[in-house]
Amino acid sequence: SRGLGDVYKRQINEGVNLAEIPAGGTRIPPKSLESTASDQFLFKMEGQKIYKLASKYLPDFFYGALKKYNFNLDDFQMVVPHQASQMGLGLMRRKLNIPTEKFFINVEQYGNLVAASVPMALHELNEAKKIKDGDKVLLACTAAGLTLGLLGIQL
């Protein structure tokens, strides 16, 4: 496969504390906390707030990227998003006006596989022969905080 442009990305800092492990490392080393504060070492995520933040920024980000590289959604045979949650993906698909048949979701089988979700989805599409040589695929990634990334590839 080959890239169809640079990775288009944006870091949105207002969500920096919405998904985190507050303690650990040198900022709050384990020895500095009482045992009653052990929950500070657990992953915390405010999913609804992250979804609202993504809803606010994702449409302009998504269509801005397509415009920057002179593409439109019809140029792509498939959109492969980060598999965060089935409900969130369905809402985003509708918000972005992407047809169901072009928007791949497999989170119901595997759950959120974090960074592995997009390559695993791409592999599954390839194995099922739902994509083929020459197809253009749009990879849509998100990360905690909120970081948005979009990359078009041609197989």
Side-chain angles (χ1 to χ4, degrees), residues 85-112:
S85 79
Q86 189 165 357
M87 184 181 82
L89 287 166
L91 292 168
M92 284 298 166
R93 183 196 60 76
R94 288 189 295 279
K95 191 171 188 81
L96 295 172
N97 297 312
I98 301 172
T100 304
E101 64 276 4
K102 287 180 92 162
F103 194 80
F104 185 72
I105 298 177
N106 70 354
V107 70
E108 68 274 3
Q109 283 104 342
Y110 306 109
N112 183 344

PDB file of all heavy atoms in Angstrom, residues 85-112:
ATOM      1  N   SER A  85     -15.863   2.312  20.699  1.00  0.00           N
ATOM      2  CA  SER A  85     -17.097   1.731  21.241  1.00  0.00           C
ATOM      3  C   SER A  85     -18.116   1.654  20.117  1.00  0.00           C
ATOM      4  O   SER A  85     -18.152   2.520  19.236  1.00  0.00           O
ATOM      5  CB  SER A  85     -17.653   2.567  22.389  1.00  0.00           C
ATOM      6  OG  SER A  85     -18.344   3.703  21.920  1.00  0.00           O
ATOM      7  N   GLN A  86     -18.943   0.616  20.152  1.00  0.00           N
ATOM      8  CA  GLN A  86     -19.909   0.415  19.079  1.00  0.00           C
ATOM      9  C   GLN A  86     -20.895   1.579  19.002  1.00  0.00           C
ATOM     10  O   GLN A  86     -21.191   2.077  17.925  1.00  0.00           O
ATOM     11  CB  GLN A  86     -20.646  -0.900  19.273  1.00  0.00           C
ATOM     12  CG  GLN A  86     -21.504  -1.256  18.089  1.00  0.00           C
ATOM     13  CD  GLN A  86     -21.945  -2.703  18.109  1.00  0.00           C
ATOM     14  OE1 GLN A  86     -21.561  -3.470  18.977  1.00  0.00           O
ATOM     15  NE2 GLN A  86     -22.744  -3.088  17.148  1.00  0.00           N
ATOM     16  N   MET A  87     -21.388   2.026  20.145  1.00  0.00           N
ATOM     17  CA  MET A  87     -22.335   3.131  20.144  1.00  0.00           C
ATOM     18  C   MET A  87     -21.683   4.405  19.606  1.00  0.00           C
ATOM     19  O   MET A  87     -22.246   5.083  18.757  1.00  0.00           O
ATOM     20  CB  MET A  87     -22.881   3.378  21.542  1.00  0.00           C
ATOM     21  CG  MET A  87     -23.948   4.464  21.568  1.00  0.00           C
ATOM     22  SD  MET A  87     -24.576   4.786  23.211  1.00  0.00           S
ATOM     23  CE  MET A  87     -23.300   5.873  23.826  1.00  0.00           C
ATOM     24  N   GLY A  88     -20.491   4.712  20.091  1.00  0.00           N
ATOM     25  CA  GLY A  88     -19.787   5.907  19.635  1.00  0.00           C
ATOM     26  C   GLY A  88     -19.491   5.873  18.156  1.00  0.00           C
ATOM     27  O   GLY A  88     -19.638   6.874  17.446  1.00  0.00           O
ATOM     28  N   LEU A  89     -19.097   4.696  17.641  1.00  0.00           N
ATOM     29  CA  LEU A  89     -18.803   4.567  16.213  1.00  0.00           C
ATOM     30  C   LEU A  89     -20.057   4.775  15.365  1.00  0.00           C
ATOM     31  O   LEU A  89     -20.006   5.444  14.333  1.00  0.00           O
ATOM     32  CB  LEU A  89     -18.189   3.199  15.912  1.00  0.00           C
ATOM     33  CG  LEU A  89     -16.747   3.021  16.371  1.00  0.00           C
ATOM     34  CD1 LEU A  89     -16.349   1.559  16.335  1.00  0.00           C
ATOM     35  CD2 LEU A  89     -15.809   3.853  15.529  1.00  0.00           C
ATOM     36  N   GLY A  90     -21.173   4.228  15.815  1.00  0.00           N
ATOM     37  CA  GLY A  90     -22.419   4.419  15.079  1.00  0.00           C
ATOM     38  C   GLY A  90     -22.824   5.883  15.026  1.00  0.00           C
ATOM     39  O   GLY A  90     -23.232   6.393  13.977  1.00  0.00           O
ATOM     40  N   LEU A  91     -22.689   6.563  16.155  1.00  0.00           N
ATOM     41  CA  LEU A  91     -23.022   7.984  16.198  1.00  0.00           C
ATOM     42  C   LEU A  91     -22.088   8.794  15.309  1.00  0.00           C
ATOM     43  O   LEU A  91     -22.527   9.696  14.584  1.00  0.00           O
ATOM     44  CB  LEU A  91     -22.966   8.491  17.636  1.00  0.00           C
ATOM     45  CG  LEU A  91     -24.056   7.950  18.571  1.00  0.00           C
ATOM     46  CD1 LEU A  91     -23.727   8.289  20.027  1.00  0.00           C
ATOM     47  CD2 LEU A  91     -25.415   8.482  18.192  1.00  0.00           C
ATOM     48  N   MET A  92     -20.793   8.481  15.346  1.00  0.00           N
ATOM     49  CA  MET A  92     -19.829   9.205  14.516  1.00  0.00           C
ATOM     50  C   MET A  92     -20.078   8.950  13.029  1.00  0.00           C
ATOM     51  O   MET A  92     -19.994   9.864  12.212  1.00  0.00           O
ATOM     52  CB  MET A  92     -18.394   8.814  14.864  1.00  0.00           C
ATOM     53  CG  MET A  92     -17.893   9.426  16.117  1.00  0.00           C
ATOM     54  SD  MET A  92     -17.873  11.222  15.963  1.00  0.00           S
ATOM     55  CE  MET A  92     -17.653  11.666  17.654  1.00  0.00           C
ATOM     56  N   ARG A  93     -20.393   7.712  12.683  1.00  0.00           N
ATOM     57  CA  ARG A  93     -20.666   7.393  11.282  1.00  0.00           C
ATOM     58  C   ARG A  93     -21.819   8.252  10.765  1.00  0.00           C
ATOM     59  O   ARG A  93     -21.736   8.837   9.687  1.00  0.00           O
ATOM     60  CB  ARG A  93     -21.006   5.904  11.117  1.00  0.00           C
ATOM     61  CG  ARG A  93     -21.217   5.515   9.649  1.00  0.00           C
ATOM     62  CD  ARG A  93     -21.915   4.181   9.490  1.00  0.00           C
ATOM     63  NE  ARG A  93     -23.232   4.147  10.089  1.00  0.00           N
ATOM     64  CZ  ARG A  93     -24.333   4.720   9.572  1.00  0.00           C
ATOM     65  NH1 ARG A  93     -24.261   5.396   8.441  1.00  0.00           N
ATOM     66  NH2 ARG A  93     -25.496   4.624  10.179  1.00  0.00           N
ATOM     67  N   ARG A  94     -22.862   8.355  11.566  1.00  0.00           N
ATOM     68  CA  ARG A  94     -24.008   9.172  11.154  1.00  0.00           C
ATOM     69  C   ARG A  94     -23.653  10.657  11.115  1.00  0.00           C
ATOM     70  O   ARG A  94     -24.033  11.364  10.190  1.00  0.00           O
ATOM     71  CB  ARG A  94     -25.196   8.914  12.087  1.00  0.00           C
ATOM     72  CG  ARG A  94     -25.817   7.536  11.856  1.00  0.00           C
ATOM     73  CD  ARG A  94     -27.115   7.331  12.603  1.00  0.00           C
ATOM     74  NE  ARG A  94     -26.999   7.341  14.049  1.00  0.00           N
ATOM     75  CZ  ARG A  94     -26.610   6.322  14.785  1.00  0.00           C
ATOM     76  NH1 ARG A  94     -26.269   5.187  14.211  1.00  0.00           N
ATOM     77  NH2 ARG A  94     -26.551   6.410  16.097  1.00  0.00           N
ATOM     78  N   LYS A  95     -22.898  11.122  12.109  1.00  0.00           N
ATOM     79  CA  LYS A  95     -22.518  12.538  12.168  1.00  0.00           C
ATOM     80  C   LYS A  95     -21.654  12.930  10.962  1.00  0.00           C
ATOM     81  O   LYS A  95     -21.746  14.048  10.459  1.00  0.00           O
ATOM     82  CB  LYS A  95     -21.790  12.825  13.476  1.00  0.00           C
ATOM     83  CG  LYS A  95     -21.581  14.302  13.746  1.00  0.00           C
ATOM     84  CD  LYS A  95     -21.065  14.502  15.162  1.00  0.00           C
ATOM     85  CE  LYS A  95     -21.030  15.925  15.555  1.00  0.00           C
ATOM     86  NZ  LYS A  95     -22.291  16.494  15.997  1.00  0.00           N
ATOM     87  N   LEU A  96     -20.816  12.006  10.504  1.00  0.00           N
ATOM     88  CA  LEU A  96     -19.934  12.265   9.358  1.00  0.00           C
ATOM     89  C   LEU A  96     -20.584  11.908   8.021  1.00  0.00           C
ATOM     90  O   LEU A  96     -19.959  12.048   6.975  1.00  0.00           O
ATOM     91  CB  LEU A  96     -18.621  11.493   9.522  1.00  0.00           C
ATOM     92  CG  LEU A  96     -17.754  11.919  10.706  1.00  0.00           C
ATOM     93  CD1 LEU A  96     -16.591  10.950  10.887  1.00  0.00           C
ATOM     94  CD2 LEU A  96     -17.253  13.338  10.544  1.00  0.00           C
ATOM     95  N   ASN A  97     -21.805  11.400   8.069  1.00  0.00           N
ATOM     96  CA  ASN A  97     -22.547  11.024   6.845  1.00  0.00           C
ATOM     97  C   ASN A  97     -21.813   9.989   6.002  1.00  0.00           C
ATOM     98  O   ASN A  97     -21.714  10.113   4.782  1.00  0.00           O
ATOM     99  CB  ASN A  97     -22.875  12.259   5.997  1.00  0.00           C
ATOM    100  CG  ASN A  97     -23.790  13.212   6.724  1.00  0.00           C
ATOM    101  OD1 ASN A  97     -24.807  12.801   7.280  1.00  0.00           O
ATOM    102  ND2 ASN A  97     -23.420  14.466   6.757  1.00  0.00           N
ATOM    103  N   ILE A  98     -21.278   8.968   6.669  1.00  0.00           N
ATOM    104  CA  ILE A  98     -20.576   7.892   5.959  1.00  0.00           C
ATOM    105  C   ILE A  98     -21.539   6.721   5.820  1.00  0.00           C
ATOM    106  O   ILE A  98     -22.111   6.264   6.811  1.00  0.00           O
ATOM    107  CB  ILE A  98     -19.306   7.455   6.726  1.00  0.00           C
ATOM    108  CG1 ILE A  98     -18.350   8.648   6.890  1.00  0.00           C
ATOM    109  CG2 ILE A  98     -18.619   6.294   6.003  1.00  0.00           C
ATOM    110  CD1 ILE A  98     -17.168   8.375   7.790  1.00  0.00           C
ATOM    111  N   PRO A  99     -21.748   6.222   4.603  1.00  0.00           N
ATOM    112  CA  PRO A  99     -22.651   5.078   4.417  1.00  0.00           C
ATOM    113  C   PRO A  99     -22.196   3.861   5.239  1.00  0.00           C
ATOM    114  O   PRO A  99     -20.994   3.602   5.363  1.00  0.00           O
ATOM    115  CB  PRO A  99     -22.565   4.779   2.921  1.00  0.00           C
ATOM    116  CG  PRO A  99     -22.004   6.011   2.297  1.00  0.00           C
ATOM    117  CD  PRO A  99     -21.164   6.674   3.344  1.00  0.00           C
ATOM    118  N   THR A 100     -23.142   3.123   5.776  1.00  0.00           N
ATOM    119  CA  THR A 100     -22.855   1.956   6.611  1.00  0.00           C
ATOM    120  C   THR A 100     -21.898   0.988   5.929  1.00  0.00           C
ATOM    121  O   THR A 100     -20.973   0.471   6.557  1.00  0.00           O
ATOM    122  CB  THR A 100     -24.165   1.224   6.971  1.00  0.00           C
ATOM    123  OG1 THR A 100     -25.044   2.155   7.604  1.00  0.00           O
ATOM    124  CG2 THR A 100     -23.922   0.051   7.894  1.00  0.00           C
ATOM    125  N   GLU A 101     -22.106   0.733   4.644  1.00  0.00           N
ATOM    126  CA  GLU A 101     -21.289  -0.250   3.928  1.00  0.00           C
ATOM    127  C   GLU A 101     -19.840   0.198   3.718  1.00  0.00           C
ATOM    128  O   GLU A 101     -18.980  -0.616   3.393  1.00  0.00           O
ATOM    129  CB  GLU A 101     -21.932  -0.617   2.580  1.00  0.00           C
ATOM    130  CG  GLU A 101     -22.033   0.512   1.579  1.00  0.00           C
ATOM    131  CD  GLU A 101     -23.253   1.421   1.749  1.00  0.00           C
ATOM    132  OE1 GLU A 101     -24.038   1.248   2.708  1.00  0.00           O
ATOM    133  OE2 GLU A 101     -23.405   2.336   0.912  1.00  0.00           O
ATOM    134  N   LYS A 102     -19.549   1.485   3.926  1.00  0.00           N
ATOM    135  CA  LYS A 102     -18.180   1.999   3.773  1.00  0.00           C
ATOM    136  C   LYS A 102     -17.487   2.209   5.109  1.00  0.00           C
ATOM    137  O   LYS A 102     -16.359   2.669   5.152  1.00  0.00           O
ATOM    138  CB  LYS A 102     -18.210   3.353   3.041  1.00  0.00           C
ATOM    139  CG  LYS A 102     -18.521   3.261   1.579  1.00  0.00           C
ATOM    140  CD  LYS A 102     -18.515   4.624   0.954  1.00  0.00           C
ATOM    141  CE  LYS A 102     -17.155   4.921   0.410  1.00  0.00           C
ATOM    142  NZ  LYS A 102     -17.134   6.016  -0.558  1.00  0.00           N
ATOM    143  N   PHE A 103     -18.144   1.907   6.208  1.00  0.00           N
ATOM    144  CA  PHE A 103     -17.634   2.214   7.547  1.00  0.00           C
ATOM    145  C   PHE A 103     -17.504   0.912   8.309  1.00  0.00           C
ATOM    146  O   PHE A 103     -18.497   0.316   8.732  1.00  0.00           O
ATOM    147  CB  PHE A 103     -18.608   3.162   8.244  1.00  0.00           C
ATOM    148  CG  PHE A 103     -18.069   3.833   9.484  1.00  0.00           C
ATOM    149  CD1 PHE A 103     -17.244   4.928   9.386  1.00  0.00           C
ATOM    150  CD2 PHE A 103     -18.429   3.380  10.738  1.00  0.00           C
ATOM    151  CE1 PHE A 103     -16.776   5.573  10.518  1.00  0.00           C
ATOM    152  CE2 PHE A 103     -17.967   4.012  11.883  1.00  0.00           C
ATOM    153  CZ  PHE A 103     -17.145   5.107  11.771  1.00  0.00           C
ATOM    154  N   PHE A 104     -16.271   0.448   8.498  1.00  0.00           N
ATOM    155  CA  PHE A 104     -16.051  -0.879   9.080  1.00  0.00           C
ATOM    156  C   PHE A 104     -16.046  -0.818  10.606  1.00  0.00           C
ATOM    157  O   PHE A 104     -15.317  -0.035  11.205  1.00  0.00           O
ATOM    158  CB  PHE A 104     -14.723  -1.467   8.586  1.00  0.00           C
ATOM    159  CG  PHE A 104     -14.518  -2.873   9.052  1.00  0.00           C
ATOM    160  CD1 PHE A 104     -15.274  -3.896   8.514  1.00  0.00           C
ATOM    161  CD2 PHE A 104     -13.595  -3.165  10.030  1.00  0.00           C
ATOM    162  CE1 PHE A 104     -15.106  -5.203   8.940  1.00  0.00           C
ATOM    163  CE2 PHE A 104     -13.405  -4.470  10.466  1.00  0.00           C
ATOM    164  CZ  PHE A 104     -14.162  -5.493   9.919  1.00  0.00           C
ATOM    165  N   ILE A 105     -16.862  -1.675  11.204  1.00  0.00           N
ATOM    166  CA  ILE A 105     -16.925  -1.791  12.666  1.00  0.00           C
ATOM    167  C   ILE A 105     -16.781  -3.260  13.044  1.00  0.00           C
ATOM    168  O   ILE A 105     -17.508  -4.117  12.537  1.00  0.00           O
ATOM    169  CB  ILE A 105     -18.260  -1.239  13.219  1.00  0.00           C
ATOM    170  CG1 ILE A 105     -18.411   0.246  12.909  1.00  0.00           C
ATOM    171  CG2 ILE A 105     -18.350  -1.490  14.725  1.00  0.00           C
ATOM    172  CD1 ILE A 105     -19.733   0.851  13.351  1.00  0.00           C
ATOM    173  N   ASN A 106     -15.831  -3.564  13.927  1.00  0.00           N
ATOM    174  CA  ASN A 106     -15.688  -4.915  14.468  1.00  0.00           C
ATOM    175  C   ASN A 106     -15.495  -4.907  15.986  1.00  0.00           C
ATOM    176  O   ASN A 106     -15.143  -5.912  16.580  1.00  0.00           O
ATOM    177  CB  ASN A 106     -14.561  -5.679  13.780  1.00  0.00           C
ATOM    178  CG  ASN A 106     -13.180  -5.142  14.121  1.00  0.00           C
ATOM    179  OD1 ASN A 106     -13.034  -4.128  14.789  1.00  0.00           O
ATOM    180  ND2 ASN A 106     -12.153  -5.817  13.639  1.00  0.00           N
ATOM    181  N   VAL A 107     -15.745  -3.773  16.619  1.00  0.00           N
ATOM    182  CA  VAL A 107     -15.530  -3.648  18.067  1.00  0.00           C
ATOM    183  C   VAL A 107     -16.405  -4.626  18.849  1.00  0.00           C
ATOM    184  O   VAL A 107     -16.023  -5.065  19.931  1.00  0.00           O
ATOM    185  CB  VAL A 107     -15.729  -2.186  18.538  1.00  0.00           C
ATOM    186  CG1 VAL A 107     -17.182  -1.759  18.470  1.00  0.00           C
ATOM    187  CG2 VAL A 107     -15.170  -1.974  19.940  1.00  0.00           C
ATOM    188  N   GLU A 108     -17.554  -5.000  18.300  1.00  0.00           N
ATOM    189  CA  GLU A 108     -18.431  -5.926  19.027  1.00  0.00           C
ATOM    190  C   GLU A 108     -17.799  -7.309  19.172  1.00  0.00           C
ATOM    191  O   GLU A 108     -18.102  -8.030  20.112  1.00  0.00           O
ATOM    192  CB  GLU A 108     -19.818  -6.010  18.378  1.00  0.00           C
ATOM    193  CG  GLU A 108     -19.870  -6.673  17.008  1.00  0.00           C
ATOM    194  CD  GLU A 108     -19.591  -5.725  15.842  1.00  0.00           C
ATOM    195  OE1 GLU A 108     -19.298  -4.538  16.058  1.00  0.00           O
ATOM    196  OE2 GLU A 108     -19.652  -6.186  14.690  1.00  0.00           O
ATOM    197  N   GLN A 109     -16.887  -7.688  18.267  1.00  0.00           N
ATOM    198  CA  GLN A 109     -16.210  -8.985  18.374  1.00  0.00           C
ATOM    199  C   GLN A 109     -15.005  -8.941  19.315  1.00  0.00           C
ATOM    200  O   GLN A 109     -14.726  -9.910  19.994  1.00  0.00           O
ATOM    201  CB  GLN A 109     -15.711  -9.477  17.011  1.00  0.00           C
ATOM    202  CG  GLN A 109     -16.778 -10.035  16.129  1.00  0.00           C
ATOM    203  CD  GLN A 109     -17.135  -9.048  15.035  1.00  0.00           C
ATOM    204  OE1 GLN A 109     -16.841  -7.861  15.107  1.00  0.00           O
ATOM    205  NE2 GLN A 109     -17.787  -9.543  14.006  1.00  0.00           N
ATOM    206  N   TYR A 110     -14.267  -7.835  19.319  1.00  0.00           N
ATOM    207  CA  TYR A 110     -12.973  -7.810  20.000  1.00  0.00           C
ATOM    208  C   TYR A 110     -12.866  -6.806  21.137  1.00  0.00           C
ATOM    209  O   TYR A 110     -11.908  -6.840  21.896  1.00  0.00           O
ATOM    210  CB  TYR A 110     -11.857  -7.496  18.981  1.00  0.00           C
ATOM    211  CG  TYR A 110     -11.863  -8.415  17.797  1.00  0.00           C
ATOM    212  CD1 TYR A 110     -12.257  -7.966  16.545  1.00  0.00           C
ATOM    213  CD2 TYR A 110     -11.494  -9.750  17.933  1.00  0.00           C
ATOM    214  CE1 TYR A 110     -12.271  -8.817  15.450  1.00  0.00           C
ATOM    215  CE2 TYR A 110     -11.512 -10.609  16.841  1.00  0.00           C
ATOM    216  CZ  TYR A 110     -11.904 -10.128  15.609  1.00  0.00           C
ATOM    217  OH  TYR A 110     -11.922 -10.972  14.541  1.00  0.00           O
ATOM    218  N   GLY A 111     -13.775  -5.861  21.212  1.00  0.00           N
ATOM    219  CA  GLY A 111     -13.639  -4.781  22.180  1.00  0.00           C
ATOM    220  C   GLY A 111     -12.665  -3.741  21.654  1.00  0.00           C
ATOM    221  O   GLY A 111     -12.232  -3.787  20.500  1.00  0.00           O
ATOM    222  N   ASN A 112     -12.323  -2.803  22.507  1.00  0.00           N
ATOM    223  CA  ASN A 112     -11.390  -1.735  22.137  1.00  0.00           C
ATOM    224  C   ASN A 112      -9.968  -2.270  22.263  1.00  0.00           C
ATOM    225  O   ASN A 112      -9.486  -2.492  23.370  1.00  0.00           O
ATOM    226  CB  ASN A 112     -11.601  -0.521  23.049  1.00  0.00           C
ATOM    227  CG  ASN A 112     -10.728   0.656  22.685  1.00  0.00           C
ATOM    228  OD1 ASN A 112      -9.748   0.526  21.957  1.00  0.00           O
ATOM    229  ND2 ASN A 112     -11.077   1.811  23.203  1.00  0.00           N
TER     230      ASN A 112
END
